[in-house]
Amino acid sequence: MQPFSYAQVTSETDAIASLNQDENAVFIAGGTDLLGLMKDGVQGANKLVDINNLPLAEIEFTANHLRIGAVSRLSDVASHRKIQENYPVITQALQQSASPQLRNMATVGGNLLQRVRCGYFRDPAFPCNKRTPGIGCAAITGYNRMHAIFGASEHCIAVHPSDLAVALTALDAVIWIQGIETERRVSIHDFYLLPGETPDKETRLQPGELIVAIEIPDYLYNKQSHYLKVRDRTSYEFALVSVAVALEVEEKIIKSAHIALGGVAPKPWRAWETEKLLQGKEVNAATFRDAAIATVQEAKPQQHNEFKIELVKRALVRALSVVAAKS
């Protein structure tokens, strides 16, 4: 592990200035992903800028939205009573993330920025375009059971690992970003990038920018939501497939559907066409089966993960059924 310096900051201005003064400096809060990457030689840093003392841990409700500070701990968000009542999909996603010990340390901003869990990316002995562009993707010809069936490219087939990001994608969250001079808002749908020919670029976050908060619109259907995670074991494991669903139902007719998938693409995968198909349809098993079949029409499995197609269909039907039963 390479030597590095460490600095604590107490203002957003100082934090951002620290990164703009040193292009090899990085922010650290919980450090639950970053420190592992540094120990493994996957990511380096000359300086760690500790942002835990920034005033970014508030959880605020207004008439129009929920705002979660980027340094909020995952455990605090998951246990917040009003989030449990009004945004169950967020609570469920967090409760199935990592372990209790990690949730006590990990932050919301860090969770959204965690790197992929592809074994080839995390082992410098293998070529990886995400680590070093242009040297190849070992996963494409390797063991790719955990990898993407949507949105991949010939340069990268890794999947995004965050459970929280999938829930926030279904709820149309907005990410607040602070730069050296201006603050900007970016829809979560635009925040994450598909690998294309530049797999090393994962988000629209620019050098020196800091995520300061996540904002989620306050819609009635947020209460009618559910997160379903399918994994190899019941704790401390990343998703094979996950589904975040929110439904607006009136007299057994679906007025709107909001669906995001995890474990299947390089970014949280919004099922836009499936949502359109469900709109105006009656709540029943046949409708859900048709939606599930439509969702996987464009899937392109790898050598070892074709099973994910059937898993997506079954998980989606189950998640829709759970939410429909509450409506």
Side-chain angles (χ1 to χ4, degrees), residues 213-260:
I214 314 300
E215 184 178 287
I216 304 102
D218 182 21
Y219 296 127
L220 288 176
Y221 58 72
N222 292 337
K223 291 184 178 182
Q224 305 300 326
S225 61
H226 183 69
Y227 187 76
L228 174 64
K229 182 176 182 179
V230 182
R231 45 191 168 169
D232 284 325
R233 58 187 182 191
T234 57
S235 65
Y236 195 36
E237 183 61 281
F238 293 89
L240 291 169
V241 165
S242 64
V243 182
V245 170
L247 290 179
E248 182 181 9
V249 178
E250 188 174 292
E251 297 182 352
K252 298 301 180 180
I253 300 298
I254 300 171
K255 295 185 64 178
S256 67
H258 310 265
I259 301 168

Side-chain angles (χ1 to χ4, degrees), residues 118 120-121 123-142 153-157 197 199-200:
C118 173
Y120 299 104
F121 165 72
D123 188 341
F126 292 95
C128 172
N129 288 320
K130 192 174 287 293
R131 276 199 328 269
T132 308
I135 65 172
C137 174
I140 289 177
T141 55
S153 77
E154 61 181 340
H155 302 286
C156 181
I157 59 172
E197 296 186 358
D200 55 311

Side-chain angles (χ1 to χ4, degrees), residues 42-57:
V42 176
Q43 181 172 342
N46 292 337
K47 182 178 183 180
L48 299 184
V49 180
D50 189 334
I51 60 173
N52 283 295
N53 291 326
L54 300 187
L56 300 176

Side-chain angles (χ1 to χ4, degrees), residues 116-189:
V116 298
R117 291 288 162 172
C118 173
Y120 299 104
F121 165 72
R122 289 179 177 260
D123 188 341
F126 292 95
C128 172
N129 288 320
K130 192 174 287 293
R131 276 199 328 269
T132 308
I135 65 172
C137 174
I140 289 177
T141 55
Y143 186 58
N144 43 43
R145 177 175 179 267
M146 297 292 291
H147 291 69
I149 60 174
F150 300 109
S153 77
E154 61 181 340
H155 302 286
C156 181
I157 59 172
V159 300
H160 185 76
S162 171
D163 294 297
L164 176 60
V166 178
L168 294 177
T169 296
L171 300 181
D172 299 311
V174 174
I175 299 173
W176 286 71
I177 299 170
Q178 181 65 56
I180 192 67
E181 295 181 347
T182 60
E183 185 178 64
R184 61 194 181 104
R185 303 172 65 193
V186 180
S187 166
I188 196 168
H189 309 306

Side-chain angles (χ1 to χ4, degrees), residues 64-76:
N64 299 315
H65 63 258
L66 161 65
R67 182 181 170 97
I68 303 173
V71 184
S72 300
R73 305 293 166 177
L74 301 188
S75 55
D76 291 336

Side-chain angles (χ1 to χ4, degrees), residues 95-138:
Q95 289 174 339
Q96 297 176 70
S97 297
S99 65
Q101 295 89 342
L102 288 173
R103 293 196 295 271
N104 285 337
M105 287 297 298
T107 62
V108 168
N111 182 272
L112 299 187
L113 292 175
Q114 65 181 299
R115 307 298 301 278
V116 298
R117 291 288 162 172
C118 173
Y120 299 104
F121 165 72
R122 289 179 177 260
D123 188 341
F126 292 95
C128 172
N129 288 320
K130 192 174 287 293
R131 276 199 328 269
T132 308
I135 65 172
C137 174

